[in-house]
């Protein structure tokens, strides 16, 4: 009987999808019955891993098993205790009160940090995230920024930031802990490894929305919604910082725009996989860089506005030089005159990530980019 139901169900599925979406046929039938194309089974490997479970709130740490790409080893606070943020305040950053987000972020032990209710947090100094932390905004609407500083991960590892709206981040005075003057990034990843930023909504910050610099590696930025900002995503410190050759960053399933100008992302030295993202438009360029980065753009959807060229070699290097940079466009969908200027050796050994899907699936795979609205007991 169960098998019969299963076949009836899968045939309904294949009729109701207009395109042959990759659906895993060995899932839990009673859970699969609740699927709709918008909610799960879209082929977005990160979401399909956890969003089809209405019991997500009782199994939050499952999320740590769902990261793909170069950040795939980021386990965040997996295995740690749950810490509940009950206090949106940040009265004394040098001496944070229990119940505040800052208090959880600076603890030495692994923590899975969640929020008791909706809240807006305006940090007086950067939130300095220590190793083995997950900031999990599911089940609450959490806004960080609003004229305060935002997140930084400096020389730490294993951090997950999920489901947070990060906007209006502004420069803040030096933090006692890092001695570092924050320049107003949404998320600044500095000398760090194994970091995953997923399902965040990012807009209008003073510097970058997500900047990954100073030889940070093992980073994935996925399922984020980035809007209303000039310099969206900087991957690489400066043209003299050769340690950035070690950088490996995956940018997947994000929606870029509307209202972005440039750096989606801007890359230096390392290896960057830009996969299955949706580009609504761009003011100056979408993907750019300098200092010979390797960029694989695969299965993205680019819809040009006035500016048609996706790519930009920053600093106007001579063609004889940038021709050697491996910038590859593979299976990207181009609309409204968008074009990608490729370069590099044909057959350069740039292995495509296994999770990449055809660009024709980008719309359903990015339909819920940004912080999700999740209620306990039902699908996110
Ligand atoms: C389907 O999901 C099951 C359970 O999550 C997994 O073991 C299996 O490898 C998946 N199969 C495919 C084809 O993805
Ligand atoms: C399928 O999922 C339901 C609801 O989460 C659960 O009660 C049931 O035990 C699961 N069945 C199997 C075989 O995993
Ligand atoms: C929390 O925020 C969500 C999304 O904005 C909203 O739908 C919900 O009503 C809020 N909950 C409370 C208790 O205010
Ligand atoms: C991070 O590491 C770099 C290089 O090892 C070092 O110069 C810097 O002081 C460190 N910063 C912090 C905040 O630990």
């Amino acid at each position: 009987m169960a098998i019969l139901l299963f076949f009836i169900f899968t045939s309904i599925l294949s009729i109701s999808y207009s395109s042959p979406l990759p659906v895993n046929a060995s899932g839990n039938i009673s859970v699969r019955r609740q699927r709709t194309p918008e909610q799960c089974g879209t082929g977005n490997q990160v979401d399909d891993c956890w969003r089809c479970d209405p019991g997500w709130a009782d199994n939050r740490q499952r999320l740590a098993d769902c990261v793909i790409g170069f950040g795939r080893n980021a386990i965040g606070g997996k295995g740690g205790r749950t810490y509940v943020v009950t206090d949106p305040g940040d009265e004394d950053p040098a001496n944070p009160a229990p119940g505040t987000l800052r208090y959880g972020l600076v603890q030495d032990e692994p923590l899975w940090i969640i929020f008791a209710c909706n809240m807006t947090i305006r940090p007086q100094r950067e939130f300095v995230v220590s190793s083995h932390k997950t900031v999990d905004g599911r089940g609450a609407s959490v806004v960080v920024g609003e004229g305060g500083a935002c997140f930084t991960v400096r020389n730490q590892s294993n951090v997950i930031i999920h489901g947070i709206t990060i906007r209006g981040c502004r420069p803040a005075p030096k933090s006692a802990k890092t001695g570092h003057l924050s320049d107003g990034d949404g998320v600044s990843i500095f000398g760090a490894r194994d970091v995953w930023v997923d399902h965040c909504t990012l807009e209008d910050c003073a510097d970058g929305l997500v900047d990954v610099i100073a030889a940070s590696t093992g980073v994935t930025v996925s399922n984020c919604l980035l809007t209303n900002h000039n310099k969206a995503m900087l991957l690489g410190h400066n043209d003299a910082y050769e340690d950035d050759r070690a950088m490996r960053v995956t940018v997947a399933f994000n929606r870029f725009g509307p209202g972005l100008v440039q750096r989606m992302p801007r890359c230096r030295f390392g290896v960057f996989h830009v996969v299955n993202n949706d580009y609504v438009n761009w003011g100056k360029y979408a993907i750019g860089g300098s200092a010979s980065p390797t960029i694989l753009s695969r299965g993205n959807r680019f819809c040009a506005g006035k500016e048609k060229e996706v790519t930009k070699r920053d600093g106007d290097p001579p063609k004889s030089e940038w021709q050697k940079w491996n910038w590859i466009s593979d299976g990207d969908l181009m609309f409204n005159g968008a074009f990608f200027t490729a370069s590099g050796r044909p057959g350069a050994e740039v292995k495509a990530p296994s999770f990449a899907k055809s660009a024709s699936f980008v719309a359903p795979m990015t339909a819920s980019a940004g912080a999700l609205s999740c209620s306990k007991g039902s699908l996110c």
Side-chain angles (χ1 to χ4, degrees):
M1 182 59 184
I3 291 172
L4 183 63
L5 269 179
F6 178 75
F7 279 115
I8 292 171
F9 177 62
T10 46
S11 36
I12 291 169
L13 254 189
S14 56
I15 293 164
S16 61
Y17 285 128
S18 55
S19 44
L21 291 174
V23 168
N24 183 336
S26 63
N28 180 319
I29 296 166
S30 61
V31 170
R32 290 164 54 81
R33 268 168 151 337
Q34 300 172 30
R35 286 183 174 184
T36 72
E38 291 75 33
Q39 287 166 328
C40 50
T42 62
N44 174 330
Q45 196 177 313
V46 176
D47 283 0
D48 290 353
C49 171
W50 69 272
R51 284 185 66 199
C52 301
D53 177 11
W56 62 270
D58 300 319
N59 192 16
R60 285 178 178 267
Q61 296 199 6
R62 164 80 180 148
L63 184 68
D65 303 331
C66 299
V67 53
I68 43 86
F70 289 124
R72 63 183 169 273
N73 295 324
I75 59 169
K78 189 180 177 189
R81 291 188 297 141
T82 299
Y83 171 87
V84 185
V85 179
T86 51
D87 176 355
D90 188 33
E91 306 303 318
D92 185 1
N95 209 350
T100 60
L101 176 53
R102 190 180 298 278
Y103 183 88
L105 293 175
V106 301
Q107 300 305 306
D108 285 334
E109 63 176 310
L111 287 178
W112 198 277
I113 300 173
I114 67 174
F115 297 83
C117 54
N118 291 355
M119 59 180 77
T120 296
I121 304 176
R122 194 168 172 279
Q124 294 200 33
R125 302 282 183 277
E126 273 186 318
F127 273 146
V128 182
V129 186
S130 65
S131 294
H132 292 279
K133 299 294 175 294
T134 299
V135 180
D136 177 358
R138 287 175 295 174
S141 164
V142 180
V143 180
V144 172
E146 299 290 19
C150 291
F151 292 99
T152 188
V153 184
R154 292 180 80 83
N155 297 0
Q156 304 287 306
S157 67
N158 285 296
V159 169
I160 299 173
I161 301 178
H162 177 100
I164 308 291
T165 295
I166 299 169
R167 67 172 178 234
C169 306
R170 297 292 178 258
K174 278 185 184 171
S175 133
K177 181 140 184 178
T178 60
H180 166 73
L181 180 76
S182 97
D183 45 15
D185 289 331
V187 181
S188 157
I189 299 169
F190 181 105
R193 61 183 309 135
D194 303 329
V195 178
W196 181 28
V197 180
D198 188 48
H199 274 296
C200 287
T201 297
L202 297 130
E203 64 173 324
D204 177 32
C205 293
D207 197 42
L209 294 178
V210 181
D211 282 4
V212 185
I213 60 168
S216 295
T217 193
V219 176
T220 293
V221 180
S222 54
N223 293 311
C224 291
L225 172 62
L226 300 91
T227 59
N228 303 322
H229 189 80
N230 180 4
K231 299 174 175 177
M233 205 183 273
L234 176 68
L235 309 180
H237 207 52
N238 62 46
D239 286 354
Y241 196 84
E242 300 213 7
D243 287 357
D244 280 347
R245 277 190 213 294
M247 293 187 69
R248 299 287 180 275
V249 181
T250 298
V251 176
F253 310 128
N254 302 285
R255 178 149 358 107
F256 289 101
L260 296 182
V261 181
Q262 56 188 319
R263 300 191 177 179
M264 307 166 217
R266 183 211 194 286
C267 310
R268 290 186 168 106
F269 289 112
V271 177
F272 306 95
H273 286 174
V274 181
V275 180
N276 290 149
N277 299 283
D278 195 17
Y279 290 82
V280 175
N281 61 40
W282 51 92
K284 289 187 177 158
Y285 69 89
I287 299 176
S290 55
S292 185
T294 295
I295 300 175
L296 172 63
S297 169
R298 184 157 204 255
N300 298 291
R301 188 168 78 162
F302 293 102
C303 185
K306 261 196 222 140
E307 175 57 51
K308 305 299 180 194
E309 185 171 1
V310 169
T311 41
K312 172 162 170 69
R313 273 81 182 171
D314 245 299
D316 293 319
K319 188 171 183 191
S320 58
E321 190 193 325
W322 65 254
Q323 261 181 332
K324 295 183 223 150
W325 304 353
N326 290 320
W327 290 25
I328 296 158
S329 169
D330 178 19
D332 290 324
L333 267 181
M334 300 294 181
F335 291 103
N336 201 21
F339 70 96
F340 186 109
T341 306
S343 56
R345 280 174 293 133
E349 72 304 347
V350 181
K351 236 175 79 193
S354 59
F355 64 84
K357 300 285 189 304
S358 157
S360 58
F361 298 130
V362 162
M365 289 192 301
T366 61
S368 51
L372 299 164
S373 177
C374 304
S375 314
K376 201 170 159 49
S378 52
L379 297 180
C380 271

